[in-house]
Amino acid sequence: MFAYKMQALVLGGVFGGLAGLFLALKQASVVPSDYSTNVTFFAYTALLIGGAARVLGPVIGAMIFWLLMGGIGSFFSQATSGSNPLIPDWAMSDIQASLVRLILVGLGLMLLMIYRPQGIFGDRKELAIDAR
């Protein structure tokens, strides 16, 4: 079991390094501001939603996260725009609407960590410190 986890760690590092290489080649530069806290938050949230113990957990977590961010963002964007908006301007402006999606995703992440810390597709045995 230890050998499989080490292989997964090494392969993950290789794929992460290759992704960084291709990002640097695409942008023709590497600057620290490219790796802001938003990128780290989004990647970590996608990993936590799907669950790290399964192979497809992070992939499906990224899809769910993308759908949530896009769906909630477009809903609030449309609900606060137009001549007769669903949400009046005194309650929420269009600038605040773009921030509400981050608040709702953060709240959902907190609830996920309270009620299902291993993620949607995760395995509770992987979280055990001394699982034998």
Side-chain angles (χ1 to χ4, degrees), residues 37-105:
T37 55
N38 286 345
V39 175
T40 305
F41 173 74
F42 291 165
Y44 193 59
T45 302
L47 175 71
L48 289 177
I49 288 174
R54 300 280 185 243
V55 174
L56 291 178
V59 175
I60 296 174
M63 286 188 228
I64 292 170
F65 179 71
W66 179 70
L67 285 172
L68 283 174
M69 289 294 284
I72 293 172
S74 67
F75 169 75
F76 281 114
S77 173
Q78 291 178 2
T80 57
S81 64
S83 61
N84 189 14
L86 183 65
I87 301 173
D89 193 35
W90 59 267
M92 181 188 307
S93 68
D94 55 348
I95 296 170
Q96 292 170 334
S98 65
L99 299 175
V100 169
R101 67 183 179 141
L102 293 174
I103 293 169
L104 291 177
V105 168

Side-chain angles (χ1 to χ4, degrees), residues 1-12 52-53 55 126:
M1 187 63 140
F2 178 75
Y4 290 127
K5 288 185 178 184
M6 284 304 289
Q7 288 175 357
L9 178 69
V10 169
L11 282 175
V55 174
E126 287 288 327

